[in-house]
Amino acid sequence: MTILLTGGDGYLGWPTALRIASRTDDRVVLVDNFARREWVENVGSRSATPVAPISERLDAAEEVLGITNLSFVEGDLADKEFTDELLGIHEPEVIVHAAAQPSAPYSQINGERANYTQHNNMQATRNLLWGLEEQDLTDTHFIETTTTGVYGAPEFPIPEGGATMENQGEEDEVPFPAMAGSWYHLTKSHDAANMRLAHQQFDIPISDVRTSIIYGAGTDETQADERLATRFDFDYYFGVVAHRFAAQAVAGYPMTVYGKGEQRKPFGSLEDAVEGLARLALMDPEERESGHTVYNQVTRPISIVEVAETIADVAGEFGYDVAVKHFENPRDEDETHEMEIENDRYLDLIDEQRVTFEEGMRETIGTISEYEEIITAHEDRFLPGVLED
């Protein structure tokens, strides 16, 4: 059996690969084109944690963790010829598709980056799905990390999957409407629709894992050796809000809450995200939910103000004196939105939440405080507009 994991050099992909490979003797093939490293460099930033070359990562996985079933292929999934060759050679029985340009702010910079984001993300997914159909691999379990951002911010509880639409006294179950708020998030709305269509037309088993804002600097596997560390981005474009706040705390820079900060966002730990993907990848076909399944990968919605206050409190435990300041919100969003989101299917998958937000921030600050000099040297990357400097 072969498990193909795309985005294998990334923040989520790399620790997921280590978790999967440590639990099976089957081949785990990683694919990446190292674009994330280039994107972050292009915005003038870098990962706070040193990211080793992939060859060193693989060597460390064997030396430290005893993992011998990991291999790596460099290539661009937006290239159909490459993707077809990849599928033809390895004939995966499971694909964990985590490759994407994942930044909403990056996709909003200008038309060039919006076009790139949409082409890169959607073309890769279409190439994989059509590749499975054209090479008679439609029994392959296709797992993709989309995003809870496809839901937008509706004024009702978000379902874990479809929605019930009513019109003129009649109702039916329909796919949740695309309510994405950025050019990036819309790529995942399209991916979700394309996966549904691929299941309907090709009968490919689909797990659509709608990923929340993930927090955490590592897992047990990535923290076993510095060479195994996953990346930790903290700039405005690629650092999620919790990571940016944590880095600002370490740098002695006021935490920037945009607007009122009362809006709740969906959060989940890196540990929980990795565990969910690993369980899906290794699940016996007879045990997993058949057909097309949506998982809301979120453990708790948290307000931005609570995020900031929690990080300030935890940072204080490490001797950092942190201020929280409010700035004008550059995003068009409801600053008081009380998000409610169903996640029963996802919690059943992982059994229970493993890392709370407070615990995750304690681990995060403990890790990145070792790289305070790197963060401080790039503190001008915390705020929007840096590409215009």
Side-chain angles (χ1 to χ4, degrees):
M1 174 174 167
T2 297
I3 298 170
L4 183 68
L5 192 149
T6 74
D9 189 55
Y11 167 70
L12 176 59
W14 173 244
T16 299
L18 293 176
R19 180 70 52 86
I20 292 172
S22 70
R23 293 184 180 176
T24 182
D25 293 326
D26 296 324
R27 292 189 307 152
V28 181
V29 179
L30 310 185
V31 185
D32 209 298
N33 64 353
F34 303 115
R36 175 67 170 266
R37 300 187 187 215
E38 181 180 342
W39 298 327
V40 174
E41 182 180 344
N42 285 346
V43 299
S45 192
R46 58 171 292 182
S47 169
T49 51
V51 183
I54 192 66
S55 59
E56 292 184 18
R57 285 178 148 188
L58 295 176
D59 289 344
E62 182 171 357
E63 294 168 14
V64 179
L65 302 177
I67 293 173
T68 60
N69 54 336
L70 269 181
S71 61
F72 179 81
V73 178
E74 182 177 355
D76 186 354
L77 294 166
D79 180 341
K80 190 173 189 306
E81 183 177 352
F82 166 77
T83 305
D84 287 343
E85 182 179 5
L86 179 76
L87 296 176
I89 291 173
H90 295 287
E91 297 184 340
E93 288 159 285
V94 176
I95 294 176
V96 180
H97 182 33
Q101 190 296 95
S103 167
Y106 187 82
S107 75
Q108 298 287 119
I109 291 172
N110 54 31
E112 178 184 358
R113 288 176 173 86
N115 286 340
Y116 171 80
T117 300
Q118 296 223 334
H119 171 77
N120 178 77
N121 293 3
M122 293 156 58
Q123 184 80 349
T125 302
R126 288 194 302 265
N127 284 346
L128 287 166
L129 293 171
W130 269 101
L132 294 177
E133 161 65 8
E134 292 172 345
Q135 301 197 46
D136 197 25
L137 296 170
T138 54
D139 288 336
T140 297
H141 181 199
F142 189 84
I143 306 163
E144 180 176 346
T145 55
T146 57
T147 172
T148 52
V150 302
Y151 295 121
E155 297 296 334
F156 54 80
I158 296 171
E160 198 164 20
T164 301
M165 179 176 287
E166 181 177 341
N167 186 39
Q168 297 185 19
E170 302 292 334
E171 64 178 42
D172 198 1
E173 188 81 7
V174 298
F176 197 93
M179 298 174 67
S182 79
W183 297 95
Y184 155 69
H185 286 105
L186 198 57
T187 69
K188 293 303 185 176
S189 295
H190 286 299
D191 276 3
N194 285 337
M195 285 190 288
R196 181 178 293 275
L197 185 62
H199 172 65
Q200 291 173 346
Q201 292 191 349
F202 309 148
D203 203 28
I204 296 172
I206 299 289
S207 290
D208 179 351
V209 183
R210 300 191 173 174
T211 307
S212 62
I213 300 170
I214 302 177
Y215 57 84
T219 61
D220 287 344
E221 295 91 343
T222 65
Q223 293 172 337
D225 188 282
E226 189 176 64
R227 294 169 295 169
L228 294 172
T230 195
R231 64 180 308 111
F232 186 94
D233 294 307
F234 57 89
D235 63 277
Y236 171 77
Y237 292 98
F238 289 95
V240 298
V241 61
H243 290 180
R244 195 173 67 249
F245 281 180
Q248 289 175 224
V250 167
Y253 193 97
M255 279 189 283
T256 51
V257 175
Y258 295 124
K260 297 177 181 178
E262 296 174 3
Q263 66 273 34
R264 297 203 306 172
K265 301 288 187 181
F267 284 84
S269 71
L270 179 61
E271 169 62 34
D272 288 328
V274 165
E275 182 64 20
L277 291 173
R279 291 192 180 196
L280 279 174
L282 296 171
M283 191 176 292
D284 189 297
E286 301 299 320
E287 296 179 2
R288 70 173 183 249
E289 295 198 38
S290 60
H292 176 278
T293 308
V294 173
Y295 298 88
N296 286 341
Q297 184 266 300
V298 53
T299 48
R300 185 167 77 92
I302 310 174
S303 74
I304 302 303
V305 164
E306 181 182 346
V307 169
E309 291 175 348
T310 300
I311 292 173
D313 290 343
V314 171
E317 299 173 12
F318 290 82
Y320 296 108
D321 185 14
V322 185
V324 178
K325 293 188 176 181
H326 292 254
F327 289 80
E328 182 179 353
N329 195 341
R331 300 182 177 95
D332 182 15
E333 60 183 345
D334 181 356
E335 297 174 3
T336 61
H337 182 253
E338 293 284 338
M339 171 174 280
E340 295 182 55
I341 184 167
E342 297 174 3
N343 61 350
D344 291 346
R345 188 179 295 120
Y346 181 71
L347 291 181
D348 286 345
L349 173 67
I350 65 172
D351 289 334
E352 61 182 356
Q353 181 183 25
R354 285 165 171 71
V355 180
T356 67
F357 185 73
E358 182 177 343
E359 292 167 343
M361 288 301 97
R362 191 168 288 114
E363 173 265 325
T364 294
I365 293 176
T367 297
I368 67 173
S369 62
E370 300 177 20
Y371 306 102
E372 183 176 324
E373 289 186 8
I374 293 174
I375 295 170
T376 301
H378 295 83
E379 66 177 27
D380 61 337
R381 305 293 99 177
F382 290 147
L383 297 177
V386 295
L387 293 187
E388 300 170 3
D389 293 351

